[in-house]
Amino acid sequence: MKVYKFGGASVKTADGVRNLQLIVEDCIGPIFVIISAMGKTTNALEVVLENFMERRGVEAREALLIVEKFHRDLIAELFGEDVKIDSIESVFNSLYDILSTKETIKDMDYDMWYDKIISCGELLSTLIISEYLNSRGVSNRWIDVRECLITDLKHRDANVDMELSEVKFKNGVKGANISISQGFIGSDGNGTVTTLGREGSDYSAALVANFLDAESISIWKDVEGVLNADPRVFSDAVHIPELTYLDAIELAYSGAQIIHPKSIKPLQNKNIPLYVRPFADKAKAGSVIKDRIKDKIVIPILIIKQNQILLSIRPQDFSFVLEDRLCDVLNMFAEYGIKPNLIQSSAVNLSVAVDMSRLLERLISKLQLEGFRVVHNEDMELLTIRGYDKAVLDKYCMGEDVYLTQKTRRIIRVIRKAIH
Ligand code: ASP
Ligand code: MG
């Protein structure tokens, strides 16, 4: 068994879907294909959701029409004008039904509505692609991942029931040579849909690989493989052919958009190699992430995490923050689901960098209520450099735009004013 994962960028056009066919039909032996929502569908559905939650019915419908048109155009290109696919019709019907719900929309149910609406992106993409492959003679089984990936009800960040899901997947693929299924989504097993967090499809694919004891997993992307930096930001980025699981987890955690940070553990646990391969050229090897590699990585690796806010938190009463209040502070972060990306302390001050989040204002108010003075700087970025040398230090870690620096022998992390 092999697992392939295709991200939204790979299947955003009819040509992309045709290319997926070429890659999938080449594969010998059983294969499990995990697909994300097409193109920017997830973001587009988030616009629908925002309007829905704010009870702006007209705008919500308009936003949904954009999503609908995008998929209908793609279907027309793949199957011909005016072709209707029943399963696609029913996904759109259920979305329009949600928008005209008579239920009272409560703010506290935001995450539940999020999962209901946003999960439709993956349903649409996999239904279209499965149907297309079947129509081209590449027969496959569409698997409703909501029946296999069983989670708790922590909406938008659901925890997977590993044992139960493994059994369900093993049953689900019996007798199928090509299985097509959705990344990112799951369910509680009783009809309530959940999601695993943005960019969660990589994680889904890694889980499936683990459950099915896959020989390998390939993530098909619109890049050459893993690079030492984002080529859109750093023009001198170079390709890294081999990485260890540990390299990958550190990179992903620091914000490198190669793979979702949670994806490594299920693979490492079963020693399954992960290939990151260029979608545009299946002949190229890309990069491989595995247990042991031949050559250690000797070049500096630069990772930027954007949209950071730097909070500076100080107890009003001058108590020692590390000794007396650290737990309180971290508990408040956890309460709002805001994860610190970097923490640094002095005697009475705690600096914490976090992602921009809609709950941040509430967290700040809560901290103030609990007796902390909070100052924050917006428009920051977190730059992590692994294996730094003097040249990169001088180039990226100096100057007045750098607000905070954390350094070990191998890794330097700086919070600086965003310049990208
Ligand atoms: N479609 C989801 C997202 O854009 C999940 C994924 O692509 O991995 O976040
Ligand atoms: Mg994606």
Side-chain angles (χ1 to χ4, degrees):
M1 174 69 74
K2 285 191 178 129
V3 173
Y4 279 7
K5 183 254 166 175
F6 295 90
S10 311
V11 290
K12 64 175 182 219
T13 60
D15 276 345
V17 175
R18 293 188 194 107
N19 192 35
L20 175 146
Q21 180 196 336
L22 298 179
I23 292 174
V24 167
E25 70 187 1
D26 251 16
C27 186
I28 301 158
I31 167 176
F32 198 104
V33 183
I34 289 273
I35 309 174
S36 303
M38 290 166 153
K40 298 270 176 245
T41 299
T42 305
N43 292 350
L45 285 169
E46 284 183 351
V47 178
V48 177
L49 172 85
E50 291 309 325
N51 284 308
F52 170 73
M53 292 304 298
E54 296 300 325
R55 295 148 193 90
R56 291 189 294 258
V58 178
E59 288 86 346
R61 229 159 265 277
E62 277 170 10
L64 182 52
L65 272 173
I66 296 175
V67 177
E68 189 181 348
K69 180 168 181 331
F70 170 79
H71 287 89
R72 291 213 187 277
D73 287 351
L74 209 112
I75 290 171
E77 245 192 277
L78 289 170
F79 298 88
E81 291 296 330
D82 299 326
V83 170
K84 289 212 160 160
I85 303 170
D86 289 346
S87 54
I88 297 293
E89 299 305 311
S90 70
V91 175
F92 279 114
N93 287 342
S94 66
L95 277 167
Y96 282 106
D97 284 351
I98 291 177
L99 297 194
S100 43
T101 181
K102 296 274 173 294
E103 270 179 61
T104 332
I105 307 154
K106 294 196 210 95
D107 212 27
M108 59 183 270
D109 293 333
Y110 183 97
D111 291 349
M112 185 269 289
W113 289 112
Y114 183 101
D115 286 353
K116 263 199 210 309
I117 292 179
I118 309 302
S119 59
C120 291
E122 272 70 12
L123 293 177
L124 291 168
S125 69
T126 52
L127 286 166
I128 293 173
I129 291 169
S130 168
E131 190 77 22
Y132 178 72
L133 293 180
N134 277 328
S135 77
R136 306 293 300 178
V138 184
S139 74
N140 66 86
R141 180 182 298 169
W142 183 82
I143 291 186
D144 187 340
V145 86
R146 293 169 297 183
E147 283 166 17
C148 298
L149 197 77
I150 309 302
T151 69
D152 62 7
L153 275 172
K154 188 156 182 242
H155 286 290
R156 294 183 69 191
D157 189 19
N159 299 298
V160 176
D161 181 331
M162 300 288 286
E163 273 137 51
L164 189 53
S165 302
E166 175 164 343
V167 175
K168 301 253 182 199
F169 273 100
K170 283 196 163 127
N171 285 330
V173 297
K174 266 191 197 142
N177 194 40
I178 302 178
S179 305
I180 305 278
S181 194
Q182 308 81 47
F184 174 59
I185 69 183
S187 89
D188 71 340
N190 288 314
T192 302
V193 65
T194 55
T195 63
L196 307 177
R198 283 303 305 260
E199 304 303 330
S201 295
D202 290 346
Y203 180 43
S204 307
L207 288 169
V208 173
N210 177 303
F211 298 149
L212 300 178
D213 294 307
E215 65 190 81
S216 69
I217 163 171
S218 299
I219 296 196
W220 297 87
K221 290 185 78 98
D222 54 352
V223 289
E224 284 285 289
V226 180
L227 306 182
N228 78 322
D230 184 341
R232 289 166 300 190
V233 181
F234 301 100
S235 54
D236 45 2
V238 294
H239 176 229
I240 308 174
E242 290 193 331
L243 298 87
T244 63
Y245 293 121
L246 196 64
D247 294 330
I249 224 163
E250 280 184 4
L251 294 187
Y253 190 77
S254 323
Q257 287 179 344
I258 43 166
I259 178 169
H260 192 283
K262 277 171 149 180
S263 319
I264 302 296
K265 184 170 180 286
L267 301 176
Q268 191 267 344
N269 286 171
K270 289 212 171 156
N271 208 355
I272 301 168
L274 164 70
Y275 295 89
V276 180
R277 298 182 63 182
F279 182 68
D281 191 349
K282 62 180 177 171
K284 284 199 178 143
S287 303
V288 59
I289 298 166
K290 54 187 185 179
D291 194 25
R292 282 162 204 268
I293 59 174
K294 283 198 295 293
D295 304 307
K296 269 218 166 103
I297 302 169
V298 288
I299 45 171
I301 296 177
L302 292 84
I303 305 131
I304 283 202
K305 213 176 171 91
Q306 277 156 340
N307 298 324
Q308 298 297 296
I309 310 261
L310 181 61
L311 300 172
S312 186
I313 303 164
R314 160 180 304 187
Q316 300 275 24
D317 64 0
F318 268 58
S319 48
F320 295 122
V321 73
L322 267 192
E323 286 170 26
D324 307 328
R325 307 297 307 270
L326 187 63
C327 257
D328 298 344
V329 173
L330 293 182
N331 282 337
M332 281 184 257
F333 275 76
E335 193 182 314
Y336 289 93
I338 296 176
K339 295 177 190 151
N341 294 323
L342 175 147
I343 301 181
Q344 186 151 300
S345 70
S346 68
V348 290
N349 194 66
L350 200 67
S351 300
V352 186
V354 294
D355 292 344
M356 189 88 112
S357 146
R358 50 186 278 279
L359 296 178
L360 197 61
E361 262 176 50
R362 292 198 209 165
L363 169 66
I364 293 177
S365 309
K366 170 93 181 190
L367 282 160
Q368 286 165 339
L369 210 69
E370 298 290 326
F372 293 92
R373 193 185 67 110
V374 185
V375 179
H376 70 279
N377 290 289
E378 294 180 2
D379 291 328
M380 309 301 287
E381 60 189 19
L382 167 60
L383 171 66
T384 303
I385 307 177
R386 223 175 71 122
Y388 57 84
D389 56 22
K390 181 156 184 329
V392 288
L393 279 189
D394 290 347
K395 195 161 170 189
Y396 299 112
C397 309
M398 302 293 170
E400 58 190 30
D401 284 341
V402 174
Y403 280 46
L404 184 159
T405 304
Q406 233 173 41
K407 196 161 152 226
T408 64
R409 276 193 295 173
R410 217 162 47 95
I411 296 177
I412 183 160
R413 308 178 80 206
V414 299
I415 294 288
R416 53 181 207 173
K417 204 83 200 142
I419 47 172
H420 296 104

